[in-house]
Amino acid sequence: MTTESWVDSAADGGFGIGNLPYGVFSRPRELPRVGVAIGDRVLDLAGLSADGLIDGRRRFASGSLNAFMAAGRPAWRAARDRLVELLTDVRFRERVEPHLVPVRDVELLRPFEVADYVDFYSSEHHATNVGRIFRPDREALGPNWRRLPVAYHGRAGTVFPSGTPIVRPSGQRRAAGEDEPGFGPSLRLDFEAEVGFVAGVPSGAGRGVPTWAFRDHVFGFVLVNDWSARDLQAWESQPLGPFLSKSFATSISPWVVPVAALETARVRPPAQDPEPLHYLRCDEPWGLDLRLEVLINGRVAARPPFASMYWTSPQQLAHATVNGAPLRTGDLFASGTVSGPERGQRGCLLELSWNGREPLELDGGMRRTFLEDGDTVTVRASAPGAGGATISLGEVSGTVLPPL
Amino acid sequence: MTTESWVDSAADGGFGIGNLPYGVFSRPRELPRVGVAIGDRVLDLAGLSADGLIDGRRRFASGSLNAFMAAGRPAWRAARDRLVELLTDVRFRERVEPHLVPVRDVELLRPFEVADYVDFYSSEHHATNVGRIFRPDREALGPNWRRLPVAYHGRAGTVFPSGTPIVRPSGQRRAAGEDEPGFGPSLRLDFEAEVGFVAGVPSGAGRGVPTWAFRDHVFGFVLVNDWSARDLQAWESQPLGPFLSKSFATSISPWVVPVAALETARVRPPAQDPEPLHYLRCDEPWGLDLRLEVLINGRVAARPPFASMYWTSPQQLAHATVNGAPLRTGDLFASGTVSGPERGQRGCLLELSWNGREPLELDGGMRRTFLEDGDTVTVRASAPGAGGATISLGEVSGTVLPPL
């Protein structure tokens, strides 16, 4: 689909007619509402539906995407088809144009209410590096790692919209060579560049979501920064996994890119050896050629390739529900840190600086082992669209503040 | 406070005037509403408030306790004082009695919407036993265990009300001596007898809840059964902790016992050595003399004493928020399995049968290593009230069904 939009700015920048991601925005003295990004504009779907130009007024006048996400695939498809029609057929221009708002004039909010938040660990390169750093005396990857997509539950209540300041967390951490832990602000604050998907349609208790049913349940993708305090993590994580080292903040991008917009980005994922158990098999290729870029204070720190992820999104969802756990609208599943095989492709400072031993050199003479107060971390990504176009996932950003 | 209620059945059974726990109930052709247990009756607070006998009509006509829990301690205290007045002063009997419903005529629902669910690991006896069973080659307790209350996030979307059937979960598990995992229904399904507390009043991001502020945020206590698939758990839990082995189901009791009702149950907790870091110190004794009883098919399987828990509830809350993670109304914090020092005081079959090696013998010739299809597990508890009365926490129950 390479039809062109009559919105001038839609021709480049990654928010063209093949993308149409959903978000929630507000303007002064207005309730939050659902919008769609097109070029450098936001199309106000609440206003559009109030004018009778698209169905779903109640869903779009809402302060979150949850009602629309719960409506299911036929409703998602109908809305997308209608939006393409409205934004490409010049006969609609006069009636639609009043509902286009410059994105610089709005505040982008958290796009959906998070039900449960699950974080995977699905990059082989990331898991191998972390294993080498934290558990040098053992095999880098445990015996389960290639058999199942390892994951844990994170804190849904601390999933924040892009732009939320990140207060440096305090907690217990034990210095190298010490027996006793101390308490204070984390000295090893890190980011994790990830990609997440969000469930729209619930699934019943006791029944899983097979890999082939992924599209029937999943609404779209966002970028995720799973902020991490490495010193807290090293001390607290045995035997039940990370807790306070992660639960202070997770940031997500404002635009949810529909699954349908990423069909052109699908690629064959890395070969899996051993062959996964039956419930993890997936006939369709579900690798995604999302090219991430991490910036610290505007300087490129890494370019992690999402196509290198060992476990795919449908495999993750099938695994997370194979025990019968039901899916709820708003369930967020993040990939875990995206790291490629090269040093410049690693998605967190723990790996980039090898736990602080090899400082990362950035443009302009900036060096980092871990994050400093005032640092702004931005993760952005794009993917190939149809006919040479680009699909942008936008960006997720946050600035580190000193402890309160 | 040993005032007597004019409700005859309130004199014994643990639901007297000193308890007054809150729940949500429904009757045929009626919307769910908030009620209070008194004797063998439920006092319909929606009806009572509609008649102008107590404030808070909107909160009590709700299908969950969340609005009332969010109202805060002054509102909780005012409601409790008024309920005592209404239920002890015979002058109110005529107007209140129409709002008393036999508990056998109602369905008790999940009392609140769970925001995030955190599960601790705060019994020294339980953690020691589990360490010996799962990690026999290492120290039973890791170096962090006595320094901080170890915990992880569980799945909020699978916290179910008492009575919800528990479908035996399937997943990957690896048999002893095998290299490769298999897939199928869990062969080591277990219960975990726990006590949980639920947050009412939120706390701001970046600020923790000190131990002394526990009562300002926490609404009350429930019983928890954190169903666990031990074979899935052993295979999946490294390095990020339990996931599918826990996320299929957690059951909670229908009555939320207010913090104020448990003042008479407070006892000095076990001595802590080493002395905890400053933010975990607590001047007031916050051990709770809750006497749990676990029944399998009506036969007593264990009597875990909650007073033996190493970490107290205010310490758990202070720890969980010390990194600045905000608290939301409905956040549920469970204690972890409650196990005492004696074999008959262990709160799960993993310990009671020592991972299946020493079958548990129950009355009537029943033997169990792990749970069988059709087994009903009930956890109940009571605590000392004022003047020799008993405070009942009611019970949480669930029956294991075969895989779908």
mmCIF file of all heavy atoms in Angstrom, chain B residues 120-141:
data_model
loop_
_atom_site.group_PDB
_atom_site.id
_atom_site.type_symbol
_atom_site.label_atom_id
_atom_site.label_comp_id
_atom_site.label_asym_id
_atom_site.label_seq_id
_atom_site.Cartn_x
_atom_site.Cartn_y
_atom_site.Cartn_z
ATOM 1 N N PHE B 120 6.197 -11.918 48.992
ATOM 2 C CA PHE B 120 7.446 -11.960 49.756
ATOM 3 C C PHE B 120 7.870 -13.408 50.032
ATOM 4 O O PHE B 120 7.242 -14.365 49.515
ATOM 5 C CB PHE B 120 7.283 -11.172 51.063
ATOM 6 C CG PHE B 120 7.335 -9.686 50.845
ATOM 7 C CD1 PHE B 120 6.181 -8.970 50.549
ATOM 8 C CD2 PHE B 120 8.543 -9.013 50.886
ATOM 9 C CE1 PHE B 120 6.237 -7.608 50.319
ATOM 10 C CE2 PHE B 120 8.602 -7.648 50.663
ATOM 11 C CZ PHE B 120 7.441 -6.952 50.382
ATOM 12 N N TYR B 121 8.869 -13.539 50.846
ATOM 13 C CA TYR B 121 9.513 -14.842 51.097
ATOM 14 C C TYR B 121 10.062 -14.728 52.513
ATOM 15 O O TYR B 121 11.243 -14.888 52.750
ATOM 16 C CB TYR B 121 10.637 -14.984 50.055
ATOM 17 C CG TYR B 121 11.325 -16.290 49.895
ATOM 18 C CD1 TYR B 121 10.624 -17.456 49.603
ATOM 19 C CD2 TYR B 121 12.723 -16.366 49.963
ATOM 20 C CE1 TYR B 121 11.294 -18.649 49.401
ATOM 21 C CE2 TYR B 121 13.392 -17.549 49.753
ATOM 22 C CZ TYR B 121 12.662 -18.697 49.465
ATOM 23 O OH TYR B 121 13.335 -19.882 49.245
ATOM 24 N N SER B 122 9.148 -14.376 53.448
ATOM 25 C CA SER B 122 9.572 -13.821 54.728
ATOM 26 C C SER B 122 9.572 -14.785 55.902
ATOM 27 O O SER B 122 9.846 -14.379 57.025
ATOM 28 C CB SER B 122 8.685 -12.609 55.071
ATOM 29 O OG SER B 122 8.979 -11.530 54.216
ATOM 30 N N SER B 123 9.270 -16.061 55.660
ATOM 31 C CA SER B 123 9.396 -17.047 56.738
ATOM 32 C C SER B 123 10.784 -17.652 56.683
ATOM 33 O O SER B 123 11.172 -18.265 55.684
ATOM 34 C CB SER B 123 8.345 -18.144 56.583
ATOM 35 O OG SER B 123 8.756 -19.309 57.288
ATOM 36 N N GLU B 124 11.516 -17.511 57.774
ATOM 37 C CA GLU B 124 12.866 -18.084 57.804
ATOM 38 C C GLU B 124 12.813 -19.609 57.681
ATOM 39 O O GLU B 124 13.661 -20.219 57.012
ATOM 40 C CB GLU B 124 13.562 -17.684 59.110
ATOM 41 C CG GLU B 124 14.973 -18.233 59.207
ATOM 42 C CD GLU B 124 15.730 -17.694 60.404
ATOM 43 O OE1 GLU B 124 15.172 -16.898 61.178
ATOM 44 O OE2 GLU B 124 16.902 -18.089 60.555
ATOM 45 N N HIS B 125 11.805 -20.209 58.293
ATOM 46 C CA HIS B 125 11.714 -21.675 58.247
ATOM 47 C C HIS B 125 11.399 -22.138 56.823
ATOM 48 O O HIS B 125 11.981 -23.102 56.330
ATOM 49 C CB HIS B 125 10.649 -22.149 59.239
ATOM 50 C CG HIS B 125 10.875 -21.613 60.615
ATOM 51 N ND1 HIS B 125 11.956 -21.999 61.388
ATOM 52 C CD2 HIS B 125 10.201 -20.691 61.345
ATOM 53 C CE1 HIS B 125 11.920 -21.332 62.538
ATOM 54 N NE2 HIS B 125 10.868 -20.528 62.536
ATOM 55 N N HIS B 126 10.483 -21.446 56.163
ATOM 56 C CA HIS B 126 10.159 -21.801 54.786
ATOM 57 C C HIS B 126 11.365 -21.609 53.869
ATOM 58 O O HIS B 126 11.717 -22.503 53.088
ATOM 59 C CB HIS B 126 8.987 -20.948 54.288
ATOM 60 C CG HIS B 126 8.701 -21.094 52.825
ATOM 61 N ND1 HIS B 126 8.183 -22.248 52.277
ATOM 62 C CD2 HIS B 126 8.883 -20.240 51.774
ATOM 63 C CE1 HIS B 126 8.040 -22.095 50.963
ATOM 64 N NE2 HIS B 126 8.470 -20.887 50.637
ATOM 65 N N ALA B 127 11.980 -20.443 53.946
ATOM 66 C CA ALA B 127 13.108 -20.154 53.040
ATOM 67 C C ALA B 127 14.254 -21.148 53.279
ATOM 68 O O ALA B 127 14.918 -21.583 52.331
ATOM 69 C CB ALA B 127 13.575 -18.713 53.231
ATOM 70 N N THR B 128 14.473 -21.512 54.519
ATOM 71 C CA THR B 128 15.537 -22.468 54.830
ATOM 72 C C THR B 128 15.203 -23.844 54.251
ATOM 73 O O THR B 128 16.050 -24.493 53.613
ATOM 74 C CB THR B 128 15.719 -22.566 56.360
ATOM 75 O OG1 THR B 128 16.033 -21.267 56.860
ATOM 76 C CG2 THR B 128 16.839 -23.532 56.716
ATOM 77 N N ASN B 129 13.976 -24.280 54.440
ATOM 78 C CA ASN B 129 13.584 -25.585 53.900
ATOM 79 C C ASN B 129 13.681 -25.610 52.376
ATOM 80 O O ASN B 129 14.194 -26.564 51.790
ATOM 81 C CB ASN B 129 12.153 -25.928 54.336
ATOM 82 C CG ASN B 129 12.071 -26.276 55.813
ATOM 83 O OD1 ASN B 129 13.054 -26.735 56.415
ATOM 84 N ND2 ASN B 129 10.909 -26.064 56.416
ATOM 85 N N VAL B 130 13.177 -24.558 51.728
ATOM 86 C CA VAL B 130 13.207 -24.511 50.262
ATOM 87 C C VAL B 130 14.645 -24.484 49.757
ATOM 88 O O VAL B 130 14.989 -25.152 48.785
ATOM 89 C CB VAL B 130 12.414 -23.288 49.736
ATOM 90 C CG1 VAL B 130 12.629 -23.098 48.240
ATOM 91 C CG2 VAL B 130 10.935 -23.460 50.039
ATOM 92 N N GLY B 131 15.495 -23.715 50.431
ATOM 93 C CA GLY B 131 16.904 -23.682 50.051
ATOM 94 C C GLY B 131 17.526 -25.070 50.144
ATOM 95 O O GLY B 131 18.222 -25.514 49.225
ATOM 96 N N ARG B 132 17.233 -25.775 51.213
ATOM 97 C CA ARG B 132 17.790 -27.136 51.377
ATOM 98 C C ARG B 132 17.294 -28.084 50.300
ATOM 99 O O ARG B 132 18.028 -28.938 49.816
ATOM 100 C CB ARG B 132 17.388 -27.692 52.750
ATOM 101 C CG ARG B 132 18.201 -27.092 53.887
ATOM 102 C CD ARG B 132 17.905 -27.797 55.216
ATOM 103 N NE ARG B 132 18.575 -27.094 56.301
ATOM 104 C CZ ARG B 132 18.027 -26.841 57.494
ATOM 105 N NH1 ARG B 132 16.791 -27.268 57.767
ATOM 106 N NH2 ARG B 132 18.701 -26.200 58.408
ATOM 107 N N ILE B 133 16.014 -27.926 49.924
ATOM 108 C CA ILE B 133 15.428 -28.839 48.935
ATOM 109 C C ILE B 133 15.928 -28.525 47.526
ATOM 110 O O ILE B 133 16.347 -29.407 46.789
ATOM 111 C CB ILE B 133 13.880 -28.746 48.989
ATOM 112 C CG1 ILE B 133 13.373 -29.379 50.287
ATOM 113 C CG2 ILE B 133 13.240 -29.430 47.780
ATOM 114 C CD1 ILE B 133 11.902 -29.078 50.596
ATOM 115 N N PHE B 134 15.872 -27.235 47.135
ATOM 116 C CA PHE B 134 16.185 -26.860 45.747
ATOM 117 C C PHE B 134 17.676 -26.627 45.506
ATOM 118 O O PHE B 134 18.148 -26.755 44.385
ATOM 119 C CB PHE B 134 15.407 -25.602 45.330
ATOM 120 C CG PHE B 134 13.992 -25.858 44.883
ATOM 121 C CD1 PHE B 134 13.033 -24.851 44.959
ATOM 122 C CD2 PHE B 134 13.607 -27.081 44.353
ATOM 123 C CE1 PHE B 134 11.729 -25.063 44.528
ATOM 124 C CE2 PHE B 134 12.310 -27.310 43.931
ATOM 125 C CZ PHE B 134 11.363 -26.292 44.021
ATOM 126 N N ARG B 135 18.416 -26.209 46.536
ATOM 127 C CA ARG B 135 19.837 -25.859 46.338
ATOM 128 C C ARG B 135 20.679 -26.521 47.419
ATOM 129 O O ARG B 135 21.321 -25.845 48.232
ATOM 130 C CB ARG B 135 20.000 -24.326 46.384
ATOM 131 C CG ARG B 135 19.253 -23.595 45.277
ATOM 132 C CD ARG B 135 19.263 -22.084 45.431
ATOM 133 N NE ARG B 135 18.438 -21.626 46.537
ATOM 134 C CZ ARG B 135 17.118 -21.396 46.457
ATOM 135 N NH1 ARG B 135 16.477 -21.571 45.325
ATOM 136 N NH2 ARG B 135 16.447 -20.992 47.519
ATOM 137 N N PRO B 136 20.680 -27.884 47.466
ATOM 138 C CA PRO B 136 21.323 -28.605 48.570
ATOM 139 C C PRO B 136 22.834 -28.366 48.644
ATOM 140 O O PRO B 136 23.438 -28.576 49.705
ATOM 141 C CB PRO B 136 21.009 -30.080 48.257
ATOM 142 C CG PRO B 136 20.649 -30.118 46.810
ATOM 143 C CD PRO B 136 20.071 -28.783 46.472
ATOM 144 N N ASP B 137 23.419 -27.916 47.534
ATOM 145 C CA ASP B 137 24.872 -27.718 47.506
ATOM 146 C C ASP B 137 25.298 -26.358 48.047
ATOM 147 O O ASP B 137 26.480 -26.070 48.140
ATOM 148 C CB ASP B 137 25.374 -27.850 46.052
ATOM 149 C CG ASP B 137 24.567 -26.976 45.097
ATOM 150 O OD1 ASP B 137 23.341 -26.811 45.319
ATOM 151 O OD2 ASP B 137 25.148 -26.451 44.133
ATOM 152 N N ARG B 138 24.315 -25.504 48.388
ATOM 153 C CA ARG B 138 24.679 -24.162 48.849
ATOM 154 C C ARG B 138 24.084 -23.868 50.224
ATOM 155 O O ARG B 138 23.257 -24.630 50.712
ATOM 156 C CB ARG B 138 24.170 -23.114 47.840
ATOM 157 C CG ARG B 138 25.089 -22.998 46.628
ATOM 158 C CD ARG B 138 24.635 -21.877 45.711
ATOM 159 N NE ARG B 138 23.715 -22.370 44.685
ATOM 160 C CZ ARG B 138 22.971 -21.583 43.905
ATOM 161 N NH1 ARG B 138 23.015 -20.278 44.052
ATOM 162 N NH2 ARG B 138 22.174 -22.096 42.984
ATOM 163 N N GLU B 139 24.495 -22.750 50.804
ATOM 164 C CA GLU B 139 23.873 -22.281 52.046
ATOM 165 C C GLU B 139 22.359 -22.169 51.818
ATOM 166 O O GLU B 139 21.931 -21.653 50.789
ATOM 167 C CB GLU B 139 24.413 -20.880 52.402
ATOM 168 C CG GLU B 139 25.804 -20.860 52.988
ATOM 169 C CD GLU B 139 25.814 -21.283 54.453
ATOM 170 O OE1 GLU B 139 24.910 -20.876 55.199
ATOM 171 O OE2 GLU B 139 26.722 -22.059 54.825
ATOM 172 N N ALA B 140 21.587 -22.622 52.805
ATOM 173 C CA ALA B 140 20.134 -22.610 52.615
ATOM 174 C C ALA B 140 19.610 -21.186 52.413
ATOM 175 O O ALA B 140 18.777 -20.938 51.543
ATOM 176 C CB ALA B 140 19.437 -23.258 53.795
ATOM 177 N N LEU B 141 20.110 -20.242 53.198
ATOM 178 C CA LEU B 141 19.710 -18.837 53.053
ATOM 179 C C LEU B 141 20.844 -18.058 52.397
ATOM 180 O O LEU B 141 21.985 -18.111 52.863
ATOM 181 C CB LEU B 141 19.403 -18.219 54.421
ATOM 182 C CG LEU B 141 18.180 -18.736 55.169
ATOM 183 C CD1 LEU B 141 18.006 -17.964 56.474
ATOM 184 C CD2 LEU B 141 16.919 -18.635 54.325
#
